[in-house]
């Protein structure tokens, strides 16, 4: 089965004076892909916040930088859930060149929290099923 | 009388592949300086929002880009109120090299708005006095 | 005739604590659209830099902020050349909601410069024709 | 012995619609602190690039997000070298509130590379001594 993928283009705002994507910006790419992944699963984060008062926050990120990406490059950003727990989950994400070479690979731990006090919350049952699909 | 000034340092995150500060980032520098200017005047934006339900938003920005700023450069960002109206004001801001040369100059129009509906509001009297000081 | 348009999505990275796109980020959106516009015209900026030693830099930007854009909003960013001179040109750009309402409108002056010393240069003839098309 | 510390202020550009610093921006803060740390050690990155043709790049980052930081917060960003190898080193960095509570903690692996081809290079002897000081 193919993982979820989202295409991003590298623009001027993204690269540093070395001509490659600035290291923090991969976290922006990874978040865009996670937002599109949730959207593709029918998970509406704004509604989740408004109705249930909960949301997901990244509590740990591990990123390996392997290869620079340059201006105008088109990168495929993947999202693969690899571990689903009661109140958090782990994702694997990669940013790949069109030829398949990996620019950056990440493991992301996202926790479900109550917005009012940011305390951990169990992920709603129907969401767990959807995220792990 | 000397204008309000705030120092910013140019870091990797700020420059593009041309080696100079990316054009949008001057708006970040200008906002930092405006925040410090308001702080120096004793204007607490969070309290203003919480107590009065109002705040300032930029409604127009005119920026002239004159000279690149490079990694490690230290820039002086000025804030000069030039016109104070009932519900908005104009500021002039410059980003200057240590030797006085101007990198970017801006005219910024900021309006007072009610946060609930973003409609224009009169600037509170005691604030007008303080901003124009 | 329809102007060039490029779609951008509003992500977490783009909004501030007011829930709307941070004012500097429209300049990032406008630049993305200009890059895609040049690409659509067959203008390769990297080749232009490498072969001719020239490039375009923004020397003035005037932006009116009219209406907030929120998380998940899809914005259409337009690019319309309005004045073409020997060494610079003016563009008009808008960021519009799907229903046509304008979030931000800009007038952008871009100059052709020699990369080696950033001095103004005439825009190559065949480029003028292409940009004004 | 006290670790190197660098103060950063949280501005509008840094926070997301949750009112806390956007997760990618800690990597910007960490980089600012590393740049100031190198400067404090007398290491000139631009000269290193120009004269020796080498530089440092982050090849792995592990970040734990513990506590949100809000608009106007002043954070102390630390830099502690914890392992020095022939061609790379590990740093530990923390972003702390004024009261000592940790917002984010990171382990950063930086490698020495030759700029021409981005291949790993031994860190110059006199630099190793300085970095490990």
């Amino acid at each position: 089965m193919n993982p979820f993928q989202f295409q991003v283009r590298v623009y001027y705002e993204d690269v540093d004076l070395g001509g490659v994507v600035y290291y923090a910006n991969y976290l922006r790419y990874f978040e865009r892909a996670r937002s599109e992944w949730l959207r593709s699963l029918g998970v509406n984060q704004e509604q989740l916040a408004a109705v249930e008062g909960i949301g997901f926050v990244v509590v740990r990120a591990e990123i390996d930088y392997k290869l620079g990406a340059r201006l105008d490059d088109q990168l495929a950003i993947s999202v693969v859930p690899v571990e689903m727990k009661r109140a958090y989950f782990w994702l694997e994400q990669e940013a790949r060149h069109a030829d398949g070479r990996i620019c950056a690979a990440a493991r992301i731990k996202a926790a479900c929290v109550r917005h009012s006090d940011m305390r951990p919350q169990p992920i709603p049952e129907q969401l767990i099923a959807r995220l792990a699909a």
Side-chain angles (χ1 to χ4, degrees), chain A:
Chain A
M1 209 191 108
N2 291 328
F4 178 85
Q5 286 205 332
F6 178 68
Q7 302 289 321
V8 303
R9 175 79 77 169
V10 178
Y11 293 108
Y12 268 99
E13 64 188 272
D14 299 311
V15 294
D16 63 21
L17 84 177
V20 294
V21 172
Y22 180 65
Y23 85 135
N25 291 341
Y26 285 101
L27 289 185
R28 292 166 49 207
Y29 295 169
F30 289 142
E31 165 118 37
R32 291 182 205 173
R34 291 197 304 274
S35 290
E36 295 295 342
W37 169 67
L38 287 174
R39 195 191 322 279
S40 78
L41 297 175
V43 178
N44 186 323
Q45 294 185 84
E46 284 196 282
Q47 199 182 329
L48 210 58
V51 176
E52 315 256 1
I54 61 172
F56 297 110
V57 294
V58 171
V59 292
R60 182 172 168 85
E62 304 165 359
I63 312 118
D64 287 298
Y65 299 96
K66 294 164 184 288
L67 193 65
R70 310 190 82 84
L71 187 67
D72 283 342
D73 283 353
Q74 185 115 17
L75 304 177
I77 315 294
S78 61
V79 183
V80 178
V82 289
E83 195 185 341
M84 194 63 55
K85 295 288 190 178
R86 199 166 154 270
Y88 67 86
F89 57 91
W90 281 94
L91 299 175
E92 286 181 1
Q93 299 199 255
E94 289 173 347
R96 282 177 186 269
H97 279 294
D99 63 8
R101 288 176 305 154
I102 300 176
C103 296
R107 276 170 47 84
I108 303 283
K109 183 182 178 183
C112 185
V113 297
R114 191 165 50 195
H115 276 304
S116 56
D117 57 6
M118 299 300 281
R119 303 287 301 173
Q121 289 296 301
I123 304 172
E125 288 290 340
Q126 83 276 22
L127 257 187
I128 289 189
R130 215 178 278 181
L131 295 174

